[in-house]
Structure formats: structure tokens, C-alpha cells
Amino acid sequence: MRKFFESFLGLLLVAFLFTEGGCTDKKPKPVSEDSTSTMTMAPDTTEEDSTEQLIASTPMPKAADELFDDFIFNYAANKRLQMKRTIFPLPVYKNGKLAGKLPKSSWKMEHFFMRQDFYTLIFDNMKQMKLAKDTTIDHVVIEKIYFNKKTVKQYLFNRINGKWNLTSLNVKPMYQNMNASFLKFYQRFATDTAFQMRHINNPVKFTGPNPDDDFSTLTGDLLPQQWPMFAPKLPTGMIYNIIYGQKYTESTQKIFVIRGIANGLEQEFTFRLRHGRWLLMAMSV
């Protein structure tokens, strides 16, 4: 076991791939409410980054409407496509009631997570994770979860005549969200290290790449006292969630996923509710 953890120390860099340079003394720069404060992201300027430029300059293939993920990356990077695929005047709901309709002239380009290196997802189980690859779904919701305001802004997309369109916006208090219990816990878990330590299972199952073999992984147990060495920084302030049709319940398990946009990297954190307390049970990087 000791030899295992000695070799695992080489994975510290991997555990921090999504952070601002790993373990440094630099304080994170202040960011806007529509961004996350502790994760690496590209500067939010008026100029499109190289990824957006590439997508925007390439006509969206018809096949992109089959898979929502393919569509949304085009939608978020291509202003012309976004205006075409947003149904105006766009209905805006607050607490389930129609608050008004947004005219085309008032719409501002929505880049979603294109100007950061990652996006986040929440699932109840591994089966739900497969829905992202389901080409038969016709309704998807992108959620912006604002922890400071304790609100959730939902962007509702529907596939109409084979084409994805943004059809409405819905703003609700966070406590009305089906993941409310977990979100309340996560907000503190991501920002309070002492609280985090009290909500680490003993042990935490850890899975990561083998530094000696690019084609295999290592799995072991992390004890609470070892957690600070491996704990990644988590997004705070605002996070995303994409509902591909998964039906959330008052589940005792949540899988929190941080998925890289261009690098293919992914981190998975499995939490379980035990005796009224959420605990981190497993981490995979």
C-alpha cells in the first residue's frame, strides 16, 4: 500500500489539471457571476477564442442536430446560428409563470461554457450518464446554477422538425430544484476546507491513470489525512448542469462530473447521503 501511494504522488498534477496552476500561492482573480471562481478559464473578452472561431467559420453539418452536444457547441459559438435557432419572442418564465417575452432585438449572445475549459454535470447514477449519447431525445435543459443568488436559470431546448431550438427560459429558486439538497451541500463543500474534511468518507476510492503505463489505471483508497494532497479545486460561484432527459429523484447518490471541453479530460466525484449527511465516496480522474 505504501508503494502504491508513493507512485500515486506522481498523479498530483493530474488531480489539479482543471485548477489554476495547481498548488501555488497565487490568489484567484475575481470573476463575474456567470463564471466559476476557482477553475481555469479563458479570458472573457469580446473576441472569440480559437475554438469559437473554428466552429463559427464552419457551417454546422446536418448531423449535428442528431446529438445535442454537437448542436450546443455550434449554437454557443455561432451568432448567426444562435439567432436562427432561438424562437423569438422568447418566453421567459419565473417561478413557473410567464413573466414576459424577450424580443430578438434584446437578445445577447449566449456563449454558455465555451469561454472556459470545462463544464459540469450532475447525475443520479451511471445509467443517466449514457443519455448524453442518445440521439432520440427531443428535449434538453441547460441549467445555470447561481449559488450567490440561490437561483437556477434554465434554457429549454426542443428538437422541432429534426432541428434543435431554444424555446424558452425559466428562472426558479434553487430550493425548488430537484438537486436542491445536494446543491446546498456542494456549495459549502467546494468552498470550506474544514467542512470538506468532515464530509470525506473513510476511505475514498480513488481511480487515476497509471504513471508507468499510459493504457492502464490505478485504483486505491485515500484516507482522510491523505485527502489534502489529492483534493482538486472545485468550481464555485456558478456551475452548469445539462438535463438530457434524466429524471431526478430524491436520490441518495449524486455523481458530479467536471468534463473538459477541448482536452477530453474528465473528473467524476461520487457522493452518497448517509444518515442525513452527504459524503464523498469515490473520485476518478
Side-chain angles (χ1 to χ4, degrees), residues 96-162:
K97 296 181 179 180
L98 182 64
K101 293 189 176 182
L102 191 67
K104 191 173 186 177
S105 59
S106 299
W107 180 256
K108 294 182 179 180
M109 178 71 174
E110 175 57 70
H111 294 280
F112 293 110
F113 32 74
M114 287 297 294
R115 293 190 171 179
Q116 59 187 45
D117 296 333
F118 65 97
Y119 59 101
T120 52
L121 302 159
I122 302 172
F123 301 100
D124 282 351
N125 51 59
M126 299 297 290
K127 184 178 180 180
Q128 289 183 352
M129 295 178 67
K130 298 179 181 179
L131 290 173
K133 302 299 182 182
D134 188 348
T135 58
T136 66
I137 57 175
D138 294 317
H139 178 73
V140 172
V141 179
I142 294 182
E143 294 184 320
K144 279 187 175 182
I145 301 165
Y146 297 93
F147 288 116
N148 293 335
K149 290 185 176 181
K150 300 188 184 305
T151 60
V152 179
K153 187 175 183 180
Q154 297 179 323
Y155 296 75
L156 283 70
F157 291 86
N158 289 283
R159 187 155 49 181
I160 303 171
N161 297 324

Side-chain angles (χ1 to χ4, degrees), residues 87-93 98-106 167-169:
I87 297 180
F88 295 108
L90 186 69
V92 180
Y93 294 86
L98 182 64
K101 293 189 176 182
L102 191 67
K104 191 173 186 177
S105 59
S106 299
T167 57
S168 65
L169 300 179

Side-chain angles (χ1 to χ4, degrees), residues 33-278:
E33 190 174 28
D34 270 10
S35 62
T36 47
S37 61
T38 60
M39 307 290 283
T40 302
M41 51 191 303
D44 190 7
T45 65
T46 56
E47 296 182 1
E48 295 177 330
D49 61 20
S50 58
T51 302
E52 288 187 65
Q53 289 177 347
L54 178 61
I55 295 175
S57 63
T58 305
M60 188 181 82
K62 293 182 179 180
D65 273 310
E66 294 182 5
L67 199 63
F68 180 79
D69 280 2
D70 291 341
F71 160 76
I72 197 59
F73 283 112
N74 282 273
Y75 179 90
N78 190 323
K79 184 175 182 179
R80 182 179 298 179
L81 176 68
Q82 186 167 130
M83 300 302 285
K84 183 178 180 181
R85 293 295 189 90
T86 302
I87 297 180
F88 295 108
L90 186 69
V92 180
Y93 294 86
K94 291 187 178 181
N95 298 322
K97 296 181 179 180
L98 182 64
K101 293 189 176 182
L102 191 67
K104 191 173 186 177
S105 59
S106 299
W107 180 256
K108 294 182 179 180
M109 178 71 174
E110 175 57 70
H111 294 280
F112 293 110
F113 32 74
M114 287 297 294
R115 293 190 171 179
Q116 59 187 45
D117 296 333
F118 65 97
Y119 59 101
T120 52
L121 302 159
I122 302 172
F123 301 100
D124 282 351
N125 51 59
M126 299 297 290
K127 184 178 180 180
Q128 289 183 352
M129 295 178 67
K130 298 179 181 179
L131 290 173
K133 302 299 182 182
D134 188 348
T135 58
T136 66
I137 57 175
D138 294 317
H139 178 73
V140 172
V141 179
I142 294 182
E143 294 184 320
K144 279 187 175 182
I145 301 165
Y146 297 93
F147 288 116
N148 293 335
K149 290 185 176 181
K150 300 188 184 305
T151 60
V152 179
K153 187 175 183 180
Q154 297 179 323
Y155 296 75
L156 283 70
F157 291 86
N158 289 283
R159 187 155 49 181
I160 303 171
N161 297 324
K163 295 182 178 181
W164 285 103
N165 291 269
L166 176 63
T167 57
S168 65
L169 300 179
N170 191 11
V171 181
K172 290 184 176 181
M174 195 169 71
Y175 73 84
Q176 292 184 1
N177 191 273
M178 287 301 297
N179 290 314
S181 170
F182 174 73
L183 292 174
K184 182 180 179 180
F185 157 78
Y186 173 83
Q187 180 182 15
R188 190 171 177 187
F189 184 86
T191 58
D192 186 334
T193 55
F195 179 85
Q196 190 177 105
M197 287 297 295
R198 296 195 300 270
H199 291 81
I200 299 295
N201 190 60
N202 186 8
V204 173
K205 295 293 182 182
F206 188 99
T207 302
N210 187 340
D212 299 321
D213 184 353
D214 293 337
F215 301 98
S216 66
T217 59
L218 292 175
T219 301
D221 293 335
L222 286 179
L223 301 178
Q225 59 267 31
Q226 295 166 322
W227 172 252
M229 293 187 298
F230 293 87
K233 290 184 179 179
L234 296 169
T236 62
M238 189 275 291
I239 63 172
Y240 287 93
N241 183 37
I242 303 179
I243 304 174
Y244 296 97
Q246 60 263 37
K247 303 297 182 182
Y248 293 115
T249 63
E250 293 296 330
S251 173
T252 57
Q253 175 176 278
K254 296 294 178 183
I255 302 173
F256 184 75
V257 179
I258 302 174
R259 184 166 291 169
I261 291 178
N263 54 25
L265 297 175
E266 183 166 304
Q267 292 177 307
E268 296 178 12
F269 304 85
T270 301
F271 296 87
R272 291 199 181 97
L273 192 62
R274 295 281 180 85
H275 307 294
R277 297 173 66 244
W278 285 101

